Amino acid sequence: MNALFVTLWANVRNSYWFVPSLMAIAAFMLSFVTTYADSQLGSQWMNNIDWLYANKPAGARAVLSTVAGSMITVAGVTFSMTILSISTTTSQVGPRLLNNFMSDKGNQFTLGVFISTFIYCLMVLRTVRNAETASGDAAKSDLTAAFVPHIAVIVGVLMALASVGVLIFFIHHIPESIHVSNIIAKVGRSLNSKIEKQFPSRIGEPHEDEADRRIEADLPEYFYATAKSIRPKGAGYLEYVDGESLLRIASERDLVLRIQSTAGDFVNENSILLLASPALKVDDDLAAEMSAMFIFGTQRTATQDLRFQFNQLVEVAMRALSPGVNDPFTAIGCMDWLQTSLEHLAAREMPDAYRFDEERKLRVVAEPVTFASFASLVFDQLLPYVAADRNASLRMMEMLRDILVVTSSPSSRRVLGRHACALRRQCNRSQTDTRALKAISASYREVLVLMTNADVRTHVQKTGRLS
């Protein structure tokens, strides 16, 4: 249930309709508050304010009708133009970035202001009443039956003025939000924020080999022979895996679990979510309960899938370096943010794959999260595109060099060195410019020096210069 709630809340919070719906409900309630205040105070309070005057029913209707009609018209026109511009932009930078525009709080707030102003004026408009004619005498009027909500009309006018200000903000916000540099920066900042929340900061120096720091534990020899496979009841991309609930179930039922699928994987009815041993302790109800800890949908999300956000930046860079676009500077912008994220990862502790209960018994084995896997996600996917372009290949070699400077783990440095070697080899095959190849080779030699000489790394960290 916790996994379902987490994913549901993440989807609702990032949806395009949630904030506007809350604002529309607030406007609906505000209309009752202001009309009630009018019914209690009347119009006498306006006599002491020189710049206010009482409206007649016809005038109040005209004001409210004008505001309501203009708001719904402006909302329709502006957001039809927004969808058109966003669809054009996402066709260039990638369709998976469309969710970033949908979750943009500026767009949601603007739509909410227009819709809430329209609903407010519509609800107040229904309370305006003309004076009814007294029965038996057409020349006299029963003026006590007339009702003009003066406070509510003033609030409606103020909301209309605020909507004009929001419209000006929106006209500025849309071109800014679809600028490719701002798109990349928003994804990069979100990725860095996820890294800070998901991985703790490293304390002290790492062991000579990062792998030796893992707790020595392994699955029992009989595990796979006695394990039961837990499979999903549908198909889709895993959005969230409730590891805490799985650990609790394993401890309560004396089970050992091996998680086979992680957030971001595509699963179907034949996929294995996890293995549970011993199988004799896992009945159909328990299997269904554990299967419910895996929530999947029609697309990948950033709720628990860090690889998805890395892939967003990689996708923009790949599209920018394609022959049809040929925009290496956009690709370089993506590599700038990818470098920042990988530097964050290099300075943080990777979670261990083994989970123990309070008695230090092995209960859950998850897929290990390593710096090497994220580095491969970036460099291996970009390598064929970057190697053919002089500017992009030089920037990637500098990127590897800069990450090496802040990487203290020997195993992570070896991973970066292998990627640098692969980049240099691929550039020699793809490029023919002698000067470009010499520059790449010189940058590669700097990578080798930083890999092997700790004093040089310390010097670069202090001065920012290699020599």
Side-chain angles (χ1 to χ4, degrees):
M1 195 64 183
N2 180 56
L4 183 60
F5 175 78
V6 169
T7 53
L8 180 61
W9 172 242
N11 293 333
V12 168
R13 185 183 54 196
N14 294 324
S15 65
Y16 202 31
W17 57 266
F18 181 63
V19 171
S21 298
L22 291 181
M23 296 179 70
I25 294 172
F28 182 83
M29 298 173 64
L30 179 63
S31 68
F32 286 97
V33 172
T34 54
T35 52
Y36 176 77
D38 274 304
S39 66
Q40 296 297 312
L41 298 176
S43 60
Q44 290 78 13
W45 62 274
M46 301 179 66
N47 297 331
N48 299 323
I49 305 176
D50 296 335
W51 52 274
L52 285 180
Y53 61 93
N55 286 309
K56 293 182 179 180
R61 284 198 185 95
V63 171
L64 294 171
S65 299
T66 301
V67 173
S70 60
M71 286 301 103
I72 200 66
T73 301
V74 170
V77 172
T78 55
F79 281 91
S80 62
M81 296 175 61
T82 301
I83 296 301
L84 178 62
S85 61
I86 288 176
S87 63
T88 303
T89 305
T90 52
S91 66
Q92 297 176 354
V93 298
R96 275 154 291 281
L97 289 170
L98 180 60
N99 287 341
N100 296 339
F101 295 107
M102 299 284 286
S103 61
D104 187 283
K105 293 300 183 287
N107 296 342
Q108 295 176 6
F109 176 75
T110 303
L111 178 60
V113 168
F114 293 152
I115 297 300
S116 60
T117 303
F118 168 75
I119 291 177
Y120 174 83
C121 292
L122 201 64
M123 294 301 297
V124 173
L125 185 60
R126 69 183 178 83
T127 65
V128 180
R129 295 192 304 270
N130 288 330
E132 298 177 356
T133 301
S135 59
D137 190 351
K140 296 181 180 179
S141 298
D142 183 8
L143 297 179
T144 59
F147 179 72
V148 178
H150 299 290
I151 296 176
V153 171
I154 293 172
V155 172
V157 172
L158 293 176
M159 292 178 68
L161 294 176
S163 299
V164 174
V166 171
L167 178 61
I168 296 172
F169 156 77
F170 185 68
I171 293 172
H172 166 76
H173 178 70
I174 282 298
E176 188 179 53
S177 65
I178 64 177
H179 193 282
V180 66
S181 297
N182 293 328
I183 294 172
I184 295 170
K186 184 176 180 180
V187 177
R189 292 192 185 100
S190 176
L191 176 57
N192 290 334
S193 177
K194 288 284 186 182
I195 291 172
E196 291 177 2
K197 291 178 181 178
Q198 192 166 340
F199 302 112
S201 298
R202 175 177 279 125
I203 300 175
E205 291 296 323
H207 194 272
E208 181 62 24
D209 192 341
E210 190 88 359
D212 292 343
R213 301 174 66 250
R214 293 185 174 276
I215 299 175
E216 292 296 333
D218 201 355
L219 291 171
E221 296 181 359
Y222 58 83
F223 176 82
Y224 290 99
T226 61
K228 179 176 181 177
S229 300
I230 309 298
R231 303 180 187 273
K233 296 182 179 179
Y237 290 96
L238 277 179
E239 296 180 7
Y240 187 84
V241 179
D242 191 352
E244 296 299 325
S245 296
L246 288 174
L247 178 60
R248 175 182 55 78
I249 291 174
S251 301
E252 292 175 353
R253 302 299 183 95
D254 193 21
L255 297 171
V256 178
L257 307 179
R258 173 69 168 89
I259 299 176
Q260 298 288 98
S261 301
T262 59
D265 293 344
F266 184 83
V267 297
N268 55 36
E269 292 82 354
N270 296 320
S271 303
I272 298 177
L273 297 176
L274 60 85
L275 300 173
S277 176
L280 295 176
K281 296 183 179 181
V282 182
D283 55 22
D284 292 340
D285 292 337
L286 182 58
E289 182 181 356
M290 289 191 291
S291 178
M293 305 300 171
F294 296 78
I295 304 299
F296 51 88
T298 57
Q299 58 184 345
R300 296 177 68 177
T301 64
T303 304
Q304 207 180 45
D305 184 10
L306 202 61
R307 295 176 298 167
F308 174 66
Q309 292 187 294
F310 271 102
N311 277 332
Q312 284 185 317
L313 290 174
V314 170
E315 180 183 1
V316 175
M318 290 166 61
R319 285 174 174 267
L321 292 172
S322 63
V325 179
N326 193 23
D327 181 12
F329 294 103
T330 295
I332 289 173
C334 293
M335 285 189 279
D336 291 339
W337 285 100
L338 287 168
Q339 174 184 329
T340 303
S341 300
L342 288 173
E343 287 177 353
H344 273 76
L345 276 175
R348 295 182 176 272
E349 297 282 358
M350 295 294 105
D352 199 86
Y354 302 102
R355 307 287 189 270
F356 298 85
D357 60 13
E358 296 179 353
E359 299 177 356
R360 301 301 297 167
K361 291 183 178 179
L362 179 63
R363 293 301 182 189
V364 179
V365 179
E367 285 295 317
V369 179
T370 63
F371 175 82
S373 63
F374 290 108
S376 176
L377 192 67
V378 173
F379 297 113
D380 286 344
Q381 290 188 100
L382 284 177
L383 180 60
Y385 301 87
V386 168
D389 185 271
R390 174 193 178 277
N391 296 324
S393 56
L394 279 171
R395 179 65 190 95
M396 179 172 280
M397 193 65 78
E398 293 172 358
M399 174 182 172
L400 286 160
R401 181 196 64 196
D402 294 341
I403 298 174
L404 264 170
V405 172
V406 299
T407 302
S408 55
S409 168
S411 60
S412 297
R413 290 199 298 270
R414 288 193 293 269
V415 168
L416 295 171
R418 287 194 292 270
H419 286 296
C421 180
L423 174 60
R424 176 175 177 270
R425 185 168 55 249
Q426 189 67 26
C427 289
N428 289 334
R429 296 173 183 172
S430 304
Q431 298 184 34
T432 57
D433 186 1
T434 304
R435 290 190 303 170
L437 292 175
K438 286 183 178 179
I440 293 171
S441 296
S443 185
Y444 176 66
R445 286 192 292 272
E446 293 178 357
V447 170
L448 295 180
V449 171
L450 289 169
M451 280 186 60
T452 56
N453 196 320
D455 294 334
V456 174
R457 287 197 305 275
T458 303
H459 174 73
V460 174
Q461 288 177 358
K462 292 180 178 180
T463 65
R465 300 179 62 182
L466 189 61
S467 59

